[in-house]
Amino acid sequence: MSAKNGSIKLVAGNSNPALAQQIASVLGLSLTKASVRRFADGEVFVEIQENVRGADVFIIQSTSAPANDHLMELLIITDALRRASARRITAVVPYFGYARQDRKVGSRSPISAKLVANLITNAGADRVLTLDLHAGQIQGFFDIPTDNLYASPVMVRDIREQFDLTNLMVVSPDVGGVVRARGLAKRINAPLAIIDKRRERAGESEVMNVIGDVAGFTCILIDDIVDSGGTLVNAADALLANGAKEVYAYITHGVLSGGATARITGSRLKELVITDSIQATEAITAAKNIRVLSIATLIGEAIARTASEESVSSLFD
Ligand code: R5P
């Protein structure tokens, strides 16, 4: 595997070494030797231990928890590569953290997603490759080419294998996710329901109303992020209270912070399917109703196409 104008190098930060290794296998490459470690005071130190002069370099790093550490690693790796004369640097960020802070939610509040986009650009990235951005328009926060991939083809393949499609209902857990859910419903030719969710306080969610007749259906909740798990657990309860037969969820990014994994395990959700955009903790791996789908092949293919300057969007035709 080689780039159109030079060799491909894959450099991994510490956020998701398992995914980085799998992407390397998909591409038939080895990860570039690099040391990304901490000084005694916690500062990040990076050493790229191979020549990258003139190379088309892809840094694989989700800005997942600890978000600030992983973001800093990404920035410093980018700086190291730029100073080492890499020809082109692509930040491959399967989970783009800070994405939920994409607008001013009140007076004197930041737009952190834009700040993070600026930081990545100013560190020296030439391109960004990411997956299921919380809001598509965050792409516009970057003034460098940004490809936003979708996990939906991976999910659709799994749904076709796991379910009888004739009795499925796709459900958006909130009004903001309708476009995403509708897209998936169309792909599997299923009807769509929507949950009107009202969030009274940050970190809490409350289900108010199910729009659509879900009685007797196997429901599949679709969302980009599961964080505390509150949205999903409340949505599952609301759907079952409205007569749904059973409830599953397909969510791209398993943030699963705090007691989320235990909350999901103790819920009435039959199964939560997430991707490996964020490396699963031991608790997630052990959870009886959480399953992880890999997006390594999708990202590997997108990297190969970027390197050979072929269409990335046609992956989703
Ligand atoms: C909200 O806009 C997102 O799409 C998710 O629904 C939300 O981030 C999930 O958060 P939690 O799991 O904490 O309810």
Side-chain angles (χ1 to χ4, degrees):
M1 169 70 49
S2 72
K4 205 162 188 178
N5 310 301
S7 63
I8 296 181
K9 297 276 186 187
L10 301 177
V11 178
N14 288 313
S15 67
N16 199 334
L19 177 65
Q21 195 54 62
Q22 277 191 64
I23 292 172
S25 305
V26 166
L27 292 167
L29 298 170
S30 301
L31 292 172
T32 297
K33 287 193 185 69
S35 169
V36 183
R37 57 183 194 269
R38 299 284 180 279
F39 284 114
D41 63 355
E43 286 182 1
V44 174
F45 177 71
V46 170
E47 197 178 12
I48 308 295
Q49 294 161 333
E50 281 178 33
N51 178 23
V52 293
R53 198 174 282 270
D56 196 1
V57 187
F58 295 82
I59 307 168
I60 301 162
Q61 176 80 329
S62 280
T63 51
S64 49
N68 300 337
D69 284 9
H70 287 153
L71 173 62
M72 208 59 206
E73 283 187 7
L74 173 62
L75 300 177
I76 294 177
I77 293 169
T78 305
D79 185 74
L81 290 167
R82 189 169 54 87
R83 291 174 196 282
S85 304
R87 181 178 59 81
R88 181 169 71 170
I89 301 168
T90 301
V92 181
V93 190
Y95 171 65
F96 180 74
Y98 281 105
R100 285 172 286 179
Q101 299 183 49
D102 60 352
R103 64 195 180 284
K104 282 188 76 158
V105 289
S107 310
R108 297 169 295 283
S109 61
I111 305 181
S112 308
K114 171 62 180 158
L115 172 64
V116 171
N118 285 348
L119 290 171
I120 292 172
T121 307
N122 293 336
D126 298 294
R127 307 183 59 90
V128 171
L129 185 61
T130 186
L131 176 76
D132 279 336
L133 279 171
H134 178 59
Q137 58 269 28
I138 295 172
Q139 239 175 322
F141 288 8
F142 291 93
D143 286 329
I144 51 177
T146 299
D147 291 301
N148 181 26
L149 308 179
Y150 305 103
S152 53
V154 178
M155 292 178 174
V156 166
R157 202 174 311 127
D158 191 74
I159 290 169
R160 286 188 196 284
E161 282 168 15
Q162 302 286 329
F163 296 96
D164 165 14
L165 297 187
T166 56
N167 197 40
L168 281 189
M169 171 86 74
V170 172
V171 183
S172 174
D174 56 33
V175 175
V178 172
V179 172
R180 179 180 298 111
R182 194 193 292 130
L184 192 123
K186 206 170 147 201
R187 278 167 176 259
I188 59 171
N189 204 19
L192 176 72
I194 300 163
I195 294 181
D196 174 29
K197 177 183 82 166
R198 303 267 161 88
R199 198 187 283 270
E200 301 297 339
R201 272 173 297 278
E204 285 179 20
S205 73
E206 200 179 351
V207 173
M208 300 297 290
N209 199 15
V210 177
I211 304 169
D213 183 7
V214 298
F217 279 97
T218 293
C219 291
I220 298 194
L221 286 156
I222 299 295
D223 210 347
D224 60 330
I225 293 173
V226 49
D227 187 351
S228 68
T231 301
L232 278 192
V233 170
N234 291 345
D237 287 345
L239 292 168
L240 292 167
N242 278 265
K245 194 169 151 220
E246 46 192 12
V247 183
Y248 294 78
Y250 279 73
I251 315 286
T252 307
H253 306 297
V255 175
L256 296 169
S257 50
T261 304
R263 194 168 295 124
I264 298 291
T265 311
S267 76
R268 299 165 76 200
L269 206 57
K270 201 92 179 158
E271 185 175 54
L272 163 63
V273 180
I274 54 177
T275 77
D276 54 358
S277 66
I278 297 174
Q279 190 151 299
T281 60
E282 277 178 27
I284 293 173
T285 309
K288 64 178 192 329
N289 63 346
I290 303 181
R291 186 160 57 90
V292 181
L293 295 178
S294 182
I295 37 101
T297 304
L298 177 71
I299 293 192
E301 181 63 24
I303 288 175
R305 288 177 183 222
T306 302
S308 58
E309 282 160 29
E310 288 171 61
S311 165
V312 170
S313 65
S314 59
L315 272 174
F316 304 99
D317 289 344

